[in-house]
């Protein structure tokens, strides 16, 4: 091989400039995603269940979706295999008496849903590095999440009713529980995974990191007071009014990863209050199913609105930076033109 000077370059120079064994890194990421998926699935199936015996939240779907969108199309096959195996093993260990065919159908649905979300969200770009920094991308991500969750719920519910001819739950109820638990898991976890992956390549400034961390701490404290505190206090009447400004602050002032982290913090507090049965989600006057549905609907709405607002502010910051760069470039060209005229 010859270099630009015409002399022969060492054969090892081109090999050193390329990454070694990229398949090994992809396989390692797939194994990590599979282990995380299995652990989160076991936690979801053991901590909080709906009155019909289904998981109220499914954060494992958010981990798989976020990993697929962050790593790009090259990681789809390994992560899909890892998610299928992890979902199948978690179903077998949590429900040993359930037919294996039902567990296999659920595992395929759990693997197909993040694949469909990633395909729909990445379709116009078809490249790695998906980010939620623009409104069209956020809307496409929300649409893909809703469509994929509905399709996954339909296939899983159909298989459940075909194999188990006398289930204890109706078809619409099973479909709705599956749909909303998957959607909540994706909207809460996937943006955070995507934001962390993007931050490794484009880390935030020290001022943004300090400001975003402080806001997240304040948001956690206010969320605890609003949702976990005793309902006897006056400030627990308006929980969303207390946390909404703290959700908009990181969206307006920090990169999108901090808005995703704010959604995650709020979701953790709400889920803990539901598990412990305290605060507004512990009111005995309302059935558990209605309380869980209210919490899930609130998380879906708040997550969607926060992601859209963060994308709007990210677009504005990007346009301001582009405008400032253009102005600086014009000034440089103007100065160069003046120097040229002076020389002439």
């Amino acid at each position: 091989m010859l270099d630009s000077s015409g002399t022969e370059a060492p054969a090892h120079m081109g090999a050193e400039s390329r990454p070694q064994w990229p398949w090994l890194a992809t396989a390692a990421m797939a194994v990590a995603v599979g282990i995380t998926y299995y652990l989160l699935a076991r936690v979801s199936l053991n901590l909080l269940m709906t009155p019909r015996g289904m998981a109220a939240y499914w954060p494992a779907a958010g981990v798989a979706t976020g990993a697929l969108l962050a790593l790009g199309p090259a990681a789809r096959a390994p992560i899909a295999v890892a998610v299928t195996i992890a979902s199948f093993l978690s179903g077998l260990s949590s429900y040993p008496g359930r037919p294996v065919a039902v567990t296999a159908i659920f595992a395929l649905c759990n693997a197909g849903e993040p694949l469909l979300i990633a395909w729909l969200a990445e379709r116009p770009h078809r490249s790695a590095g998906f980010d939620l920094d623009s409104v069209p991308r956020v809307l496409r991500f929300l649409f893909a999440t809703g469509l994929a969750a509905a399709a996954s719920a339909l296939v899983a519910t159909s298989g459940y009713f075909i194999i188990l001819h006398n289930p204890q739950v109706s078809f619409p109820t099973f479909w709705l529980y599956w749909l909303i638990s998957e959607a909540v898991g994706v909207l809460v976890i996937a943006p955070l995974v995507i934001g962390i992956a993007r931050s490794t390549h484009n880390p935030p400034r020290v001022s943004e990191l300090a400001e975003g961390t402080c806001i997240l701490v304040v948001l956690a404290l206010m969320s605890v007071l609003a949702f976990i505190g005793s309902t006897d206090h006056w400030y627990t009447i308006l929980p969303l009014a207390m946390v909404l400004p703290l959700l908009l602050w990181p969206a307006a002032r920090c990169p999108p990863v901090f808005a995703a982290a704010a959604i995650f913090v709020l979701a953790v507090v709400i889920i803990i209050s539901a598990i412990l049965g305290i605060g507004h989600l512990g009111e005995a006057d309302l059935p558990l199913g209605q309380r869980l549905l209210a919490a899930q609907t609130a998380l879906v709405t708040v997550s969607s609105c926060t992601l859209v607002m963060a994308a709007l502010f990210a677009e504005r910051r990007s346009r301001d930076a582009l405008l400032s760069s253009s102005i600086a470039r014009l000034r440089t060209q103007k100065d160069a033109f003046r120097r040229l005229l002076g020389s002439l």
Side-chain angles (χ1 to χ4, degrees), residues 118-161:
W119 181 76
L120 291 175
E122 290 179 338
R123 189 174 182 182
H125 302 281
R126 298 188 182 277
S127 61
F130 182 84
D131 199 359
L132 298 173
D133 56 353
S134 65
V135 176
R137 289 186 179 183
V138 170
L139 295 179
R140 193 163 55 248
F141 170 74
L142 296 177
F143 171 77
T145 300
L147 182 61
S152 173
L154 181 61
V155 175
T157 306
S158 301
Y160 183 80
F161 273 76

Side-chain angles (χ1 to χ4, degrees), residues 210-224 246 261-262 265:
E211 183 177 0
T213 303
C214 292
I215 292 300
L216 292 178
V217 172
V218 176
L219 174 63
L221 295 176
M222 296 300 294
S223 300
V224 169
L246 298 175
V265 169

Side-chain angles (χ1 to χ4, degrees), residues 264-278:
F264 176 77
V265 169
L266 179 62
V268 168
V269 174
I270 292 178
I271 293 173
I272 290 177
S273 66
I275 293 174
L276 299 179
I278 57 179

